[in-house]
Amino acid sequence: MKINVLTLFPEMFSAVTGSILGKAAEKGILEFNFINIRDFSREKRDKADEYPFGGGPGMVMLADPIFNALESIEAEGKRILYMSPRGRLLNEESIKELAGNEELTILCGHYEGVDQRVLDYWNMEEVSIGDYVLTGGELPAMVLIDAVARLIPGVLAGEESAMEESIYSGLLEYPQYTKPRSYRGMDVPEVLLNGNHKLIHLWKFEESLKLTRKVRPDLFERFLENHGELTKDEQKVLEKVLK
Ligand code: ADE
C-alpha cells in the first residue's frame, strides 16, 4: 500500500517510520511519501497560512500550496482523506475498508483548518479519530496509518492478524500474563499453566465477555446481536456470563 501524507511537519512522522511500520516499508509492503506542504508555497518565506476572511481566531491553511502539492503527486481522482475533528469517526470497520485500498493520500490540517475550496475541489473525505480536538492532523494521521497498516498482510506476525477473524472480534481483549508465575504474591491464573488449550480458549472467551460487558456495554450488546456461530461450550460460557 502506498500512503502519501501532506503535512507542515513531516519530521513528526519519524514516530511511524521508526517502528514496525518502518520495517514493513523496508520490505516493500508499505510505501510512504511524506510531502512538506511548505515546499509548494509560492508566497514570501514559504508562507502556508493566512487570516480567515470574515474574521475569527487563528489562521487558515492556504489553498495554493496544497493544490500544488497534490498536483505534484497527480492526486486527481485519488482517494484523499482530511484529518479533522469535523469528520466521520473512525472505527475498526472503516479502518478495514481503508486497508483494502492500494493507495491513500492524507492531508494534515493545522491552525484553524484549511481553505474550504481544498476540501471541495479535491472531494476530500473528512475523518476524525475521536470527539476531542488536537492541535493538528499529524497525530490523527499516524493513528489512522498505524491502525490501517497492521491489517495489511505481512506487516504483523501471522498469529496476531488471525485474531481479527476469531470469535473475539468485537470483544475487548482478555488479560495477558507472562513469566514469572508468581510475582509479589500475585499468581497467574492456574488454567493458563495446564496446557489444556480448550480450557484456555474458554477462559479467554469468558474474560473477554466479562470485561467487555463491564467496560463497553455498547460493544457487548452488539456482540450479542451478531456474533458468529458458537460451540456448545462457548454458548455455555456466554450463558454463565449473562446470568
Ligand atoms: N485534527 C484535530 N483534531 C482531530 C481529531 N479529533 N481527529 C482528526 N483530526 C483532528
Side-chain angles (χ1 to χ4, degrees), residues 155-172:
V155 172
L156 289 186
E159 218 179 290
E160 286 174 275
S161 36
M163 277 279 294
E164 297 296 323
E165 305 309 326
S166 76
I167 56 161
Y168 301 110
S169 64
L171 294 176
L172 303 181

PDB file of all heavy atoms in Angstrom, residues 155-172:
ATOM      1  N   VAL A 155       2.556  -7.176   7.545  1.00  0.00           N
ATOM      2  CA  VAL A 155       3.015  -6.100   8.440  1.00  0.00           C
ATOM      3  C   VAL A 155       3.194  -6.644   9.864  1.00  0.00           C
ATOM      4  O   VAL A 155       4.180  -6.371  10.525  1.00  0.00           O
ATOM      5  CB  VAL A 155       2.062  -4.880   8.410  1.00  0.00           C
ATOM      6  CG1 VAL A 155       2.433  -3.861   9.473  1.00  0.00           C
ATOM      7  CG2 VAL A 155       2.092  -4.232   7.025  1.00  0.00           C
ATOM      8  N   LEU A 156       2.248  -7.453  10.318  1.00  0.00           N
ATOM      9  CA  LEU A 156       2.359  -8.090  11.641  1.00  0.00           C
ATOM     10  C   LEU A 156       2.636  -9.576  11.462  1.00  0.00           C
ATOM     11  O   LEU A 156       2.448 -10.129  10.391  1.00  0.00           O
ATOM     12  CB  LEU A 156       1.041  -7.969  12.406  1.00  0.00           C
ATOM     13  CG  LEU A 156       0.613  -6.608  12.936  1.00  0.00           C
ATOM     14  CD1 LEU A 156      -0.637  -6.787  13.777  1.00  0.00           C
ATOM     15  CD2 LEU A 156       1.713  -5.962  13.755  1.00  0.00           C
ATOM     16  N   ALA A 157       3.038 -10.211  12.585  1.00  0.00           N
ATOM     17  CA  ALA A 157       3.192 -11.666  12.557  1.00  0.00           C
ATOM     18  C   ALA A 157       1.819 -12.309  12.354  1.00  0.00           C
ATOM     19  O   ALA A 157       0.822 -11.765  12.805  1.00  0.00           O
ATOM     20  CB  ALA A 157       3.809 -12.130  13.860  1.00  0.00           C
ATOM     21  N   GLY A 158       1.785 -13.456  11.690  1.00  0.00           N
ATOM     22  CA  GLY A 158       0.545 -14.130  11.297  1.00  0.00           C
ATOM     23  C   GLY A 158      -0.451 -14.330  12.412  1.00  0.00           C
ATOM     24  O   GLY A 158      -1.641 -14.091  12.247  1.00  0.00           O
ATOM     25  N   GLU A 159       0.055 -14.757  13.572  1.00  0.00           N
ATOM     26  CA  GLU A 159      -0.825 -15.104  14.681  1.00  0.00           C
ATOM     27  C   GLU A 159      -1.716 -13.931  15.103  1.00  0.00           C
ATOM     28  O   GLU A 159      -2.892 -14.089  15.358  1.00  0.00           O
ATOM     29  CB  GLU A 159       0.047 -15.472  15.863  1.00  0.00           C
ATOM     30  CG  GLU A 159      -0.481 -16.620  16.682  1.00  0.00           C
ATOM     31  CD  GLU A 159       0.487 -16.888  17.814  1.00  0.00           C
ATOM     32  OE1 GLU A 159       1.596 -17.382  17.544  1.00  0.00           O
ATOM     33  OE2 GLU A 159       0.137 -16.562  18.937  1.00  0.00           O
ATOM     34  N   GLU A 160      -1.104 -12.745  15.157  1.00  0.00           N
ATOM     35  CA  GLU A 160      -1.837 -11.578  15.613  1.00  0.00           C
ATOM     36  C   GLU A 160      -2.967 -11.213  14.663  1.00  0.00           C
ATOM     37  O   GLU A 160      -4.042 -10.862  15.092  1.00  0.00           O
ATOM     38  CB  GLU A 160      -0.894 -10.381  15.744  1.00  0.00           C
ATOM     39  CG  GLU A 160       0.001 -10.495  16.948  1.00  0.00           C
ATOM     40  CD  GLU A 160       1.013  -9.380  16.964  1.00  0.00           C
ATOM     41  OE1 GLU A 160       2.058  -9.558  16.314  1.00  0.00           O
ATOM     42  OE2 GLU A 160       0.764  -8.355  17.601  1.00  0.00           O
ATOM     43  N   SER A 161      -2.679 -11.297  13.347  1.00  0.00           N
ATOM     44  CA  SER A 161      -3.716 -10.900  12.409  1.00  0.00           C
ATOM     45  C   SER A 161      -4.857 -11.909  12.385  1.00  0.00           C
ATOM     46  O   SER A 161      -5.992 -11.544  12.143  1.00  0.00           O
ATOM     47  CB  SER A 161      -3.150 -10.669  11.010  1.00  0.00           C
ATOM     48  OG  SER A 161      -2.137 -11.572  10.750  1.00  0.00           O
ATOM     49  N   ALA A 162      -4.533 -13.177  12.685  1.00  0.00           N
ATOM     50  CA  ALA A 162      -5.572 -14.206  12.698  1.00  0.00           C
ATOM     51  C   ALA A 162      -6.634 -13.876  13.743  1.00  0.00           C
ATOM     52  O   ALA A 162      -7.805 -14.194  13.587  1.00  0.00           O
ATOM     53  CB  ALA A 162      -4.963 -15.565  12.983  1.00  0.00           C
ATOM     54  N   MET A 163      -6.223 -13.244  14.838  1.00  0.00           N
ATOM     55  CA  MET A 163      -7.136 -12.849  15.913  1.00  0.00           C
ATOM     56  C   MET A 163      -8.361 -12.104  15.404  1.00  0.00           C
ATOM     57  O   MET A 163      -9.442 -12.240  15.943  1.00  0.00           O
ATOM     58  CB  MET A 163      -6.411 -11.913  16.891  1.00  0.00           C
ATOM     59  CG  MET A 163      -5.584 -12.611  17.922  1.00  0.00           C
ATOM     60  SD  MET A 163      -6.607 -13.176  19.285  1.00  0.00           S
ATOM     61  CE  MET A 163      -7.120 -11.606  19.970  1.00  0.00           C
ATOM     62  N   GLU A 164      -8.128 -11.299  14.379  1.00  0.00           N
ATOM     63  CA  GLU A 164      -9.195 -10.458  13.843  1.00  0.00           C
ATOM     64  C   GLU A 164     -10.453 -11.249  13.506  1.00  0.00           C
ATOM     65  O   GLU A 164     -11.558 -10.772  13.669  1.00  0.00           O
ATOM     66  CB  GLU A 164      -8.725  -9.758  12.564  1.00  0.00           C
ATOM     67  CG  GLU A 164      -7.575  -8.818  12.764  1.00  0.00           C
ATOM     68  CD  GLU A 164      -7.925  -7.652  13.644  1.00  0.00           C
ATOM     69  OE1 GLU A 164      -9.068  -7.170  13.539  1.00  0.00           O
ATOM     70  OE2 GLU A 164      -7.066  -7.247  14.434  1.00  0.00           O
ATOM     71  N   GLU A 165     -10.254 -12.447  13.003  1.00  0.00           N
ATOM     72  CA  GLU A 165     -11.389 -13.211  12.493  1.00  0.00           C
ATOM     73  C   GLU A 165     -11.988 -14.136  13.544  1.00  0.00           C
ATOM     74  O   GLU A 165     -12.980 -14.781  13.300  1.00  0.00           O
ATOM     75  CB  GLU A 165     -10.961 -14.045  11.274  1.00  0.00           C
ATOM     76  CG  GLU A 165     -10.320 -13.225  10.154  1.00  0.00           C
ATOM     77  CD  GLU A 165     -11.162 -12.018   9.762  1.00  0.00           C
ATOM     78  OE1 GLU A 165     -12.401 -12.106   9.822  1.00  0.00           O
ATOM     79  OE2 GLU A 165     -10.550 -10.986   9.439  1.00  0.00           O
ATOM     80  N   SER A 166     -11.370 -14.232  14.701  1.00  0.00           N
ATOM     81  CA  SER A 166     -11.840 -15.185  15.692  1.00  0.00           C
ATOM     82  C   SER A 166     -13.135 -14.706  16.332  1.00  0.00           C
ATOM     83  O   SER A 166     -13.597 -13.593  16.081  1.00  0.00           O
ATOM     84  CB  SER A 166     -10.780 -15.382  16.765  1.00  0.00           C
ATOM     85  OG  SER A 166     -10.791 -14.264  17.620  1.00  0.00           O
ATOM     86  N   ILE A 167     -13.676 -15.536  17.213  1.00  0.00           N
ATOM     87  CA  ILE A 167     -14.899 -15.137  17.913  1.00  0.00           C
ATOM     88  C   ILE A 167     -14.655 -13.936  18.813  1.00  0.00           C
ATOM     89  O   ILE A 167     -15.586 -13.307  19.275  1.00  0.00           O
ATOM     90  CB  ILE A 167     -15.460 -16.277  18.800  1.00  0.00           C
ATOM     91  CG1 ILE A 167     -14.390 -16.749  19.783  1.00  0.00           C
ATOM     92  CG2 ILE A 167     -16.011 -17.389  17.970  1.00  0.00           C
ATOM     93  CD1 ILE A 167     -14.991 -17.501  20.956  1.00  0.00           C
ATOM     94  N   TYR A 168     -13.390 -13.623  19.078  1.00  0.00           N
ATOM     95  CA  TYR A 168     -13.105 -12.490  19.953  1.00  0.00           C
ATOM     96  C   TYR A 168     -13.407 -11.174  19.272  1.00  0.00           C
ATOM     97  O   TYR A 168     -13.470 -10.149  19.918  1.00  0.00           O
ATOM     98  CB  TYR A 168     -11.633 -12.473  20.367  1.00  0.00           C
ATOM     99  CG  TYR A 168     -11.208 -13.710  21.084  1.00  0.00           C
ATOM    100  CD1 TYR A 168     -10.345 -14.611  20.484  1.00  0.00           C
ATOM    101  CD2 TYR A 168     -11.686 -13.986  22.358  1.00  0.00           C
ATOM    102  CE1 TYR A 168      -9.949 -15.750  21.145  1.00  0.00           C
ATOM    103  CE2 TYR A 168     -11.293 -15.128  23.021  1.00  0.00           C
ATOM    104  CZ  TYR A 168     -10.425 -16.007  22.407  1.00  0.00           C
ATOM    105  OH  TYR A 168     -10.038 -17.131  23.047  1.00  0.00           O
ATOM    106  N   SER A 169     -13.528 -11.183  17.955  1.00  0.00           N
ATOM    107  CA  SER A 169     -13.666  -9.894  17.280  1.00  0.00           C
ATOM    108  C   SER A 169     -14.922  -9.190  17.775  1.00  0.00           C
ATOM    109  O   SER A 169     -15.978  -9.798  17.932  1.00  0.00           O
ATOM    110  CB  SER A 169     -13.667 -10.062  15.767  1.00  0.00           C
ATOM    111  OG  SER A 169     -14.782 -10.804  15.404  1.00  0.00           O
ATOM    112  N   GLY A 170     -14.777  -7.936  18.059  1.00  0.00           N
ATOM    113  CA  GLY A 170     -15.894  -7.188  18.633  1.00  0.00           C
ATOM    114  C   GLY A 170     -15.887  -7.200  20.149  1.00  0.00           C
ATOM    115  O   GLY A 170     -16.662  -6.505  20.773  1.00  0.00           O
ATOM    116  N   LEU A 171     -14.989  -8.003  20.743  1.00  0.00           N
ATOM    117  CA  LEU A 171     -14.864  -8.026  22.208  1.00  0.00           C
ATOM    118  C   LEU A 171     -13.514  -7.431  22.596  1.00  0.00           C
ATOM    119  O   LEU A 171     -12.574  -7.442  21.809  1.00  0.00           O
ATOM    120  CB  LEU A 171     -14.931  -9.471  22.723  1.00  0.00           C
ATOM    121  CG  LEU A 171     -16.257 -10.215  22.550  1.00  0.00           C
ATOM    122  CD1 LEU A 171     -16.104 -11.648  23.022  1.00  0.00           C
ATOM    123  CD2 LEU A 171     -17.388  -9.508  23.292  1.00  0.00           C
ATOM    124  N   LEU A 172     -13.429  -6.948  23.817  1.00  0.00           N
ATOM    125  CA  LEU A 172     -12.145  -6.447  24.309  1.00  0.00           C
ATOM    126  C   LEU A 172     -11.236  -7.627  24.665  1.00  0.00           C
ATOM    127  O   LEU A 172     -11.720  -8.712  24.958  1.00  0.00           O
ATOM    128  CB  LEU A 172     -12.360  -5.563  25.547  1.00  0.00           C
ATOM    129  CG  LEU A 172     -13.299  -4.373  25.341  1.00  0.00           C
ATOM    130  CD1 LEU A 172     -13.402  -3.561  26.631  1.00  0.00           C
ATOM    131  CD2 LEU A 172     -12.834  -3.484  24.196  1.00  0.00           C
TER     132      LEU A 172
END
